[in-house]
Amino acid sequence: MFNIPFFPTEASTTASRIDLLFFALMGIIMLFTALIFVGVIFFSIRYRRGSRASRKGATSENLKLELAWTIIPLCITMGIFIWASKLYFDMHVPPKNAMDVYVVGKQWMWYIQHPEGNREINTLHVPLGKPVRLIMTSQDVIHDFFIPAFRVKQDVIPGRYTTEWFQATKLGEYHLFCAQYCGTGHAQMVGKVIVMQPWEYEQWLAGKSSGVTMSSSGEQLFTQFGCVTCHRSDNTGRGPTLVGLFGKKVLLQTGQTVVADMDYIRESILDPRAKVVATYQPIMPTFKSQIDQAQLMQLIEYVKSLGGSQSASKGNKK
Amino acid sequence: MSTSGSENHTNYLNDGYGVKSWLLTTDHKRIAILYMISITLFFMIGGFFALVIRLTLLSPNGTLVSADTYNKMFTMHGVTMIFFFLIPSIPAVLGNFLVPMMIGARDLAFPKLNLLSWYIYVLGGIFTLSAMVLGGVDTGWTFYTPLSSGYSHTNVVPTVIGVFIVGFSSILTGLNFIVTIHKMRAPGLTWFRLPLFIWAHYATSVIQVLGTPVIAVTLALVGFERITGVGIFDPNIGGDPILFQHLFWFYSHPAVYIMVLPSMGIVSEVVTCFSQRKLFGYRQMAFASMAIAVFGFLVWGHHMFVSGQSVYAGMAFSALSFLVAIPSAVKVFNWTATLYKGTIRFNTPMLYAFGFIGLFTIGGLTGIVLATLPVDVHVHDTYFVIAHFHYIMVGGAVMGYMAGLHFWWPKITGKLYPEGLAKFSALTLFVGFNLTFFPQFILGYLGMPRRYHIYPPEFQVLNVLSTAGASILGLGYIIPFFYFMWSLRKGKVAGNNPWNAKGLEWLTTSPPPTFNFDKTPVVTEEAYAYPEEDLVGG
Amino acid sequence: MDNEQLTHETRSFVAHQFDDLEQQKEAGTLGMWAFLATEILFFGGMFMAYLVYRFSYPQVFAAASQYMDVVLGGVNTGVLLVSSLTMALAVHAAQEGNRKQIITFLIITMIFGAIFLVIKGVEYHHKFVEHLVPGYNFQYEGAEPGKSEIYFILYFVMTGFHALHLIIGIVVLTVIAIMTARGRFTKEYYTPVEISGLYWHFIDIVWIFLYPLLYLIHVHK
């Protein structure tokens, strides 16, 4: 009860960088607050009515002073802006070797799948010291995946994929919060993030695994929904082959090209006639009502496993 | 000063007594009083919701009310406080009363439109209140789609209709001010002789006229989506819920300046009067008001740094948000410099003005923290944000409103309030406010998300502190309510100019006559022309 | 009419808050411009939404716009343009102080406004029959019904708000016509006629944008 925390744990590589910037800001804030408070208090005492302090030479215009207190704060804020932008940019580019974990938010729980096939609810196991990229989407309203100890937060939005990445630096259990208000159970949409030693994590993966990886689940769906009848491993099917597709540029009927990223594959499954590949007919039916978000992610993981450009899969669209 | 004390002079208050003489009045001063009564009512309703929120958060298990009730409480707290109290507070009450008087006009340019705006406000209020009575609404005051458009089971439609309607009241007020300030200034009252209060209201009006229609149409689209079941923000048919946020914040960020700019105007009036000193850097202050209004329209994206908008959009909005901080900083520096070599009195309005300067400084500087992209990622949607905007809206806007109310109360009613008690309650407010909201900065950085009715137990101590502060804060609001009421009957007669203030409104009697001035005043000097003499020191 | 009588007559038009007629005229005109600024932003929000989706789904919008009746829309554009002309003529008549002409032109303007609404109603009816009303009976034959529905929502919301403005415009002109009949305007003071004209022209201009953006996308392609 009396163990009041005043500062959150720093448990990721970004956390300390953000905190440093935050402390710098706090320094500036305290400096300016002190300046104003001291100024106001000192002047009001010294020049209170009836005080003997001289009022000679009082002016109400001083261009130099005005320029000074316009330009100095401007320079300070622009300095912060540059520092901040650099860090923000880094926070959006996951390292090349980041491992992917898939997250689906729904009212009011987090559903998490590891590519190895492990599934968990409201808990995320991650290895220490390895960059992890979360690929997230929502099944209903907007949620937000917030881990205070890692200083990461990203809205989880229906109809598209968003990502966030972190690299844990400290073993332990940390809070996981939904930070975007999502209705009745918003405050219960919480969980924990467990940082383990890499070897413990491997053990956990092996121990809890159903033995079926995400891509093999995806492959099963691929057969089950009959995708395989048109999308063959060579170009003989009625649909284009998906081998080596991921992350490559695709020429469309309209003459435009798009990169076959996660969003593109998702759209092509749900809304097949939106972007039809050149020389193919728009004959594919939609799978919107038959497939859920988790299965979509398995299919994407399967398409990824068929090869393609890995760099494109890591390069964030942003 | 010679006419002071005459109880019998005809003024706007004794010019007709019937209910009809009030409800059909076109006198800007009476309409201001009508607004004052209505917004006070909404303030009490919003305050009640705040009370339930703070009481619930006393315990980490949220046992006082259910999750749904709690969600409705903070939603309705936000909706009432923002759309029905803060936005109309200063413009529709003090602005309505003082804008014509300060520029030497007999009334606003369109008195009937002014009355219409009050009726529109009441109509919007009825819709929103009935939505609350019929079971409330739980989308958050931000009405984010698709939660508001497709998933909430509460009274979203009547609420957004209410907010849609009340927007037009705000538009009409702004339109009236713009025309009045442009066309109805007294002879000799040039733009750069206008009091800062007028500049502030001019800047505010521009935002009201240009911003409000956007949120109106946005909420209309949400209402459409709820009624028909399909809409342009619906991701299931390819709609973009993020577009809603862009349109929403295009108004709702500048709306913050609708709340705080008029307060800044009040502080300029109060600080000069109680320093008996010309405002330092008058022109810079006027330009700063306009700069805030203009830049305020370009920074909405800083509410969306974690929404998945592009990194480059984030950077642009961040840079612009830093820029909008500069004119605010300039204002604070100029107020401080105005005190230098002044002759300072510590009357109640001045205490509130000091409170404003201090709290707005903290609120503004923590705004810098939020404009800083990576740090915002961490504190976004946490109590840090809650603390920040309460420092701006309560510490800034409401403190300014209280300063103005105390400053012009003698003019509005012709009566003085008990000064000692007023000072005590100003102090109570300041202490209570800081105790309520300062712990929330810490809570926010620790990671406590907003809109949680249950929370991890380690956050309890800070929450209890905050609730304790809120009870002191509540007291600070209740005391003025009673002594203002008391002063109406028993207060000392104020006289025309009890503070020895400059400005046209102080030239006429208190309370003012129906047409404000017996003779249109002619202005020959700049604003705040307090005598620049060495009063004591020599 | 001699000068003294004129001054007397003019004075009675000045509301208590104004010093003179000149101030009252200027205030009225500025007030209307400020109101039109509000209106621009009101439609601006919808145009913004339109642009976002138009650029996201250009093909879908082009395809969906083929369901629009270009001819009826074109006729309506003509109707509104002519109504703008008659409105301008009403203002001109007000300048001349010709009461009868003001009323005549105002009525013609309103009739054109009503014709526009009738044609718009016919178009809405077609959409209803063709099952193209979003949220009510939407059944779209072409590709990508979802995104096309967004087009039709925007179509109905934008033209709906436009029609609402037109209805308000007709009410306003009715009031102005009655005021004219009662002799409330003179050669010296006819600002209400003038600013109602501004409002009417604004409604026309909005349509000038709506017509190509909604009806002519595929023609443009």
Side-chain angles (χ1 to χ4, degrees):
Chain A
M1 175 86 190
F2 288 99
N3 182 19
I4 313 168
F6 282 104
F7 205 75
T9 327
E10 284 180 352
S12 78
T13 46
T14 15
S16 50
R17 293 181 69 188
I18 289 181
D19 288 345
L20 184 65
L21 180 54
F22 179 70
F23 285 130
L25 285 167
M26 280 300 130
I28 293 166
I29 288 181
M30 283 181 208
L31 181 75
F32 276 91
T33 311
L35 202 72
I36 297 297
F37 275 60
V38 168
V40 167
I41 293 169
F42 176 75
F43 290 153
S44 3
I45 293 172
R46 185 168 164 83
Y47 299 110
R48 70 192 181 277
R49 186 168 61 171
S51 83
R52 301 190 149 269
S54 163
R55 268 79 163 178
K56 278 225 170 77
T59 67
S60 55
E61 286 292 335
N62 187 334
L63 192 61
K64 274 184 194 160
L65 205 53
E66 299 285 353
L67 284 176
W69 64 41
T70 307
I71 291 168
I72 293 172
L74 186 67
C75 293
I76 295 175
T77 51
M78 286 304 111
I80 300 170
F81 170 70
I82 292 164
W83 179 357
S85 296
K86 171 84 180 69
L87 178 50
Y88 186 65
F89 200 84
D90 291 350
M91 285 163 69
H92 278 84
V93 185
K96 289 246 185 296
N97 59 340
M99 53 177 263
D100 286 345
V101 177
Y102 291 83
V103 177
V104 178
K106 53 181 146 186
Q107 284 179 327
W108 291 278
M109 54 168 277
W110 295 107
Y111 177 80
I112 293 160
Q113 308 178 79
H114 296 255
E116 292 78 3
N118 303 53
R119 296 167 192 191
E120 35 187 349
I121 286 171
N122 292 343
T123 311
L124 170 64
H125 287 80
V126 290
L128 182 77
K130 270 198 78 177
V132 176
R133 178 174 72 151
L134 304 180
I135 298 165
M136 310 181 290
T137 192
S138 165
Q139 199 161 301
D140 35 51
V141 303
I142 302 175
H143 301 282
D144 188 296
F145 203 88
F146 175 34
I147 310 165
F150 294 170
R151 313 284 189 276
V152 290
K153 180 184 286 140
Q154 173 63 52
D155 279 3
V156 176
I157 301 164
R160 69 170 78 163
Y161 291 115
T162 54
T163 59
E164 75 184 25
W165 78 271
F166 52 81
Q167 182 175 338
T169 54
K170 212 166 151 185
L171 294 175
E173 273 188 34
Y174 304 105
H175 287 301
L176 157 65
F177 294 126
C178 173
Q180 185 62 265
Y181 175 64
C182 56
T184 308
H186 172 54
Q188 276 120 318
M189 199 167 159
V190 297
K192 48 189 185 215
V193 176
I194 298 166
V195 180
M196 315 166 97
Q197 290 290 0
W199 56 269
E200 278 179 329
Y201 177 72
E202 292 302 328
Q203 271 186 345
W204 175 83
L205 278 181
K208 284 285 180 79
S209 177
S210 52
V212 187
T213 63
M214 268 181 83
S215 63
S216 52
S217 305
E219 192 175 2
Q220 264 176 19
L221 291 169
F222 202 73
T223 320
Q224 185 190 324
F225 286 120
C227 315
V228 69
T229 50
C230 296
H231 297 285
R232 306 217 182 126
S233 55
D234 48 26
N235 263 329
T236 58
R238 285 188 293 172
T241 179
L242 306 183
V243 174
L245 169 76
F246 194 80
K248 294 278 170 58
K249 278 194 178 157
V250 179
L251 182 66
L252 302 182
Q253 263 184 349
T254 56
Q256 292 161 307
T257 52
V258 290
V259 175
D261 56 8
M262 295 185 296
D263 281 306
Y264 169 75
I265 292 168
R266 178 181 191 288
E267 185 183 34
S268 299
I269 297 170
L270 299 180
D271 208 350
R273 288 155 97 179
K275 295 193 177 77
V276 181
V277 177
T279 74
Y280 288 91
Q281 292 303 309
I283 48 168
M284 177 170 159
T286 173
F287 288 84
K288 209 174 214 167
S289 52
Q290 300 161 49
I291 201 162
D292 66 21
Q293 298 299 335
Q295 291 173 324
L296 262 175
M297 287 172 155
Q298 289 161 4
L299 277 170
I300 289 172
E301 190 66 14
Y302 171 62
V303 174
K304 268 193 199 173
S305 74
L306 295 176
S309 157
Q310 275 307 305
S311 65
S313 86
K314 297 295 179 205
N316 202 303
K317 263 210 314 181
K318 297 168 200 166
Chain B
M1 293 291 274
S2 55
T3 51
S4 69
S6 102
E7 281 280 298
N8 298 323
H9 77 272
T10 4
N11 61 51
Y12 78 102
L13 288 172
N14 60 23
D15 189 4
Y17 291 99
V19 175
K20 235 174 112 182
S21 79
W22 280 91
L23 292 183
L24 294 179
T25 183
T26 54
D27 183 349
H28 66 104
K29 298 180 289 299
R30 286 197 164 198
I31 296 169
I33 303 292
L34 292 176
Y35 262 116
M36 188 192 286
I37 295 166
S38 348
I39 66 155
T40 308
L41 194 72
F42 276 101
F43 181 72
M44 287 171 177
I45 297 170
F48 167 75
F49 297 140
L51 178 76
V52 178
I53 292 171
R54 284 311 332 159
L55 286 179
T56 308
L57 293 178
L58 271 177
S59 132
N61 311 317
T63 40
L64 183 68
V65 293
S66 71
D68 274 325
T69 311
Y70 181 83
N71 293 344
K72 286 174 184 170
M73 286 298 145
F74 71 68
T75 301
M76 297 188 294
H77 170 71
V79 169
T80 29
M81 285 301 200
I82 286 171
F83 296 112
F84 293 91
F85 172 69
L86 282 165
I87 287 174
S89 64
I90 299 177
V93 178
L94 296 171
N96 231 332
F97 197 96
L98 292 159
V99 166
M101 299 192 66
M102 282 188 166
I103 64 170
R106 282 183 290 279
D107 204 322
L108 285 170
F110 310 113
K112 285 179 198 150
L113 217 54
N114 196 17
L115 181 65
L116 179 67
S117 90
W118 181 72
Y119 277 103
I120 293 175
Y121 172 88
V122 171
L123 184 68
I126 288 172
F127 265 97
T128 306
L129 277 182
S130 53
M132 291 173 184
V133 172
L134 293 174
V137 59
D138 75 345
T139 59
W141 79 275
T142 44
F143 301 112
Y144 271 19
T145 53
L147 180 65
S148 64
S149 52
Y151 289 86
S152 170
H153 299 293
T154 53
N155 301 309
V156 179
V157 172
T159 311
V160 297
I161 291 175
V163 174
F164 180 90
I165 293 173
V166 82
F168 288 91
S169 132
S170 182
I171 290 171
L172 291 182
T173 304
L175 189 150
N176 225 333
F177 285 172
I178 288 177
V179 175
T180 308
I181 295 168
H182 264 282
K183 298 292 174 192
M184 301 181 72
R185 303 190 306 275
L189 188 54
T190 57
W191 281 94
F192 286 108
R193 284 179 179 174
L194 287 173
L196 255 289
F197 183 84
I198 300 294
W199 274 105
H201 274 78
Y202 186 76
T204 306
S205 304
V206 170
I207 301 174
Q208 287 178 307
V209 165
L210 297 182
T212 321
V214 177
I215 196 173
V217 79
T218 308
L219 293 181
L221 286 166
V222 171
F224 177 91
E225 188 162 342
R226 260 196 98 80
I227 293 167
T228 64
V230 287
I232 64 163
F233 304 125
D234 183 356
N236 286 324
I237 60 168
D240 185 1
I242 303 299
L243 177 66
F244 168 84
Q245 297 179 21
H246 280 291
L247 292 172
F248 178 84
W249 289 114
F250 180 81
Y251 166 76
S252 295
H253 188 77
V256 176
Y257 302 113
I258 297 180
M259 305 172 205
V260 84
L261 272 170
S263 266
M264 293 172 159
I266 290 173
V267 170
S268 297
E269 302 298 312
V270 171
V271 165
T272 48
C273 170
F274 293 99
S275 313
Q276 291 290 300
R277 175 109 151 66
K278 219 175 148 187
L279 186 69
F280 198 89
Y282 171 91
R283 279 181 186 242
Q284 285 78 8
M285 290 293 262
F287 289 137
S289 297
M290 296 311 291
I292 290 172
V294 173
F295 281 113
F297 272 113
L298 306 173
V299 300
W300 76 87
H302 68 210
H303 293 266
M304 300 163 62
F305 286 158
V306 299
S307 74
Q309 75 181 350
S310 86
V311 174
Y312 300 103
M315 287 179 188
F317 282 123
S318 164
L320 286 162
S321 306
F322 282 123
L323 285 185
V324 83
I326 305 298
S328 308
V330 166
K331 280 183 167 284
V332 173
F333 291 132
N334 276 306
W335 288 318
T336 312
T338 304
L339 299 172
Y340 177 66
K341 298 204 170 179
T343 306
I344 294 159
R345 292 171 291 165
F346 300 96
N347 296 71
T348 314
M350 190 62 157
L351 295 189
Y352 278 113
F354 283 154
F356 175 97
I357 295 172
L359 300 180
F360 179 76
T361 302
I362 297 174
L365 286 166
T366 50
I368 296 277
V369 175
L370 295 174
T372 308
L373 290 157
V375 184
D376 181 72
V377 168
H378 177 55
V379 293
H380 186 90
D381 272 332
T382 67
Y383 267 81
F384 194 93
V385 175
I386 307 291
H388 157 72
F389 74 67
H390 280 90
Y391 265 79
I392 297 289
M393 291 181 192
V394 184
V398 181
M399 279 278 176
Y401 178 62
M402 294 299 277
L405 211 52
H406 284 85
F407 188 50
W408 285 293
W409 188 260
K411 180 53 66 183
I412 295 171
T413 65
K415 298 293 175 61
L416 289 173
Y417 47 82
E419 181 73 20
L421 192 58
K423 279 183 182 166
F424 169 75
S425 81
L427 208 66
T428 313
L429 255 183
F430 186 81
V431 172
F433 175 84
N434 281 299
L435 190 55
T436 310
F437 292 106
F438 198 81
Q440 297 185 3
F441 280 124
I442 304 169
L443 273 176
Y445 206 78
L446 284 172
M448 176 160 166
R450 66 192 290 196
R451 298 170 170 177
Y452 267 36
H453 80 297
I454 51 174
Y455 54 83
E458 68 257 33
F459 297 148
Q460 190 176 12
V461 175
L462 288 164
N463 269 300
V464 170
L465 269 181
S466 179
T467 302
S471 58
I472 301 175
L473 185 64
L475 186 70
Y477 285 122
I478 290 169
I479 304 172
F481 181 78
F482 284 106
Y483 65 67
F484 276 141
M485 290 296 115
W486 176 89
S487 78
L488 287 179
R489 294 206 164 274
K490 308 242 169 115
K492 269 192 239 156
V493 173
N496 292 353
N497 189 357
W499 314 120
N500 193 22
K502 290 281 175 182
L504 296 180
E505 78 271 28
W506 301 105
L507 295 178
T508 189
T509 46
S510 310
T514 304
F515 292 128
N516 298 344
F517 302 95
D518 298 330
K519 224 180 95 199
T520 305
V522 176
V523 180
T524 55
E525 54 185 18
E526 299 194 331
Y528 318 114
Y530 291 101
E532 301 239 351
E533 59 193 89
D534 196 354
L535 289 171
V536 191
Chain C
M1 206 188 281
D2 67 45
N3 242 353
E4 239 164 61
Q5 201 188 342
L6 186 102
T7 336
H8 176 73
E9 206 164 87
T10 326
R11 190 146 295 279
S12 67
F13 293 112
V14 183
H16 71 86
Q17 70 272 25
F18 295 112
D19 294 333
D20 51 37
L21 205 53
E22 191 55 29
Q23 193 185 30
Q24 179 166 340
K25 281 183 191 170
E26 285 180 8
T29 310
L30 179 64
M32 181 47 82
W33 281 110
F35 181 70
L36 293 186
T38 285
E39 291 280 31
I40 288 171
L41 268 292
F42 186 86
F43 281 97
M46 289 182 276
F47 277 113
M48 202 61 228
Y50 170 89
L51 288 177
V52 166
Y53 290 120
R54 167 90 186 268
F55 280 108
S56 305
Y57 313 129
Q59 273 91 24
V60 178
F61 270 44
S65 82
Q66 284 170 356
Y67 289 82
M68 291 296 128
D69 196 323
V70 179
V71 177
L72 285 186
V75 170
N76 252 350
T77 310
V79 167
L80 273 195
L81 284 176
V82 176
S83 82
S84 254
L85 174 68
T86 57
M87 186 67 229
L89 288 172
V91 175
H92 182 73
Q95 273 167 353
E96 312 258 283
N98 190 335
R99 210 179 279 179
K100 219 176 217 169
Q101 260 191 26
I102 304 178
I103 297 175
T104 315
F105 281 123
L106 284 180
I107 290 174
I108 297 175
T109 310
M110 286 189 271
I111 290 173
F112 277 117
I115 292 174
F116 177 93
L117 289 174
V118 169
I119 295 177
K120 196 79 239 165
V122 170
E123 282 189 68
Y124 280 174
H125 179 71
H126 287 167
K127 299 291 164 295
F128 177 78
V129 174
E130 292 163 27
H131 295 283
L132 289 173
V133 183
Y136 183 73
N137 64 2
F138 195 77
Q139 278 173 329
Y140 188 74
E141 303 299 322
E144 301 197 72
K147 292 164 188 168
S148 310
E149 199 164 4
I150 291 182
Y151 169 86
F152 282 98
I153 293 168
L154 286 168
Y155 166 76
F156 275 102
V157 171
M158 291 170 97
T159 57
F161 270 119
H162 177 260
L164 182 68
H165 277 76
L166 199 59
I167 293 167
I168 294 169
I170 293 174
V171 173
V172 169
L173 292 194
T174 312
V175 173
I176 297 290
I178 293 169
M179 283 168 84
T180 315
R182 290 189 181 163
R184 300 284 289 277
F185 307 122
T186 63
K187 243 172 162 174
E188 284 71 36
Y189 182 69
Y190 55 89
T191 314
V193 184
E194 203 177 7
I195 63 176
S196 321
L198 281 178
Y199 179 71
W200 192 269
H201 296 317
F202 170 78
I203 301 171
D204 290 0
I205 291 169
V206 171
W207 180 257
I208 298 298
F209 281 93
L210 285 179
Y211 180 60
L213 287 181
L214 291 170
Y215 288 70
L216 303 179
I217 307 176
H218 64 283
V219 179
H220 176 71
K221 282 269 152 183

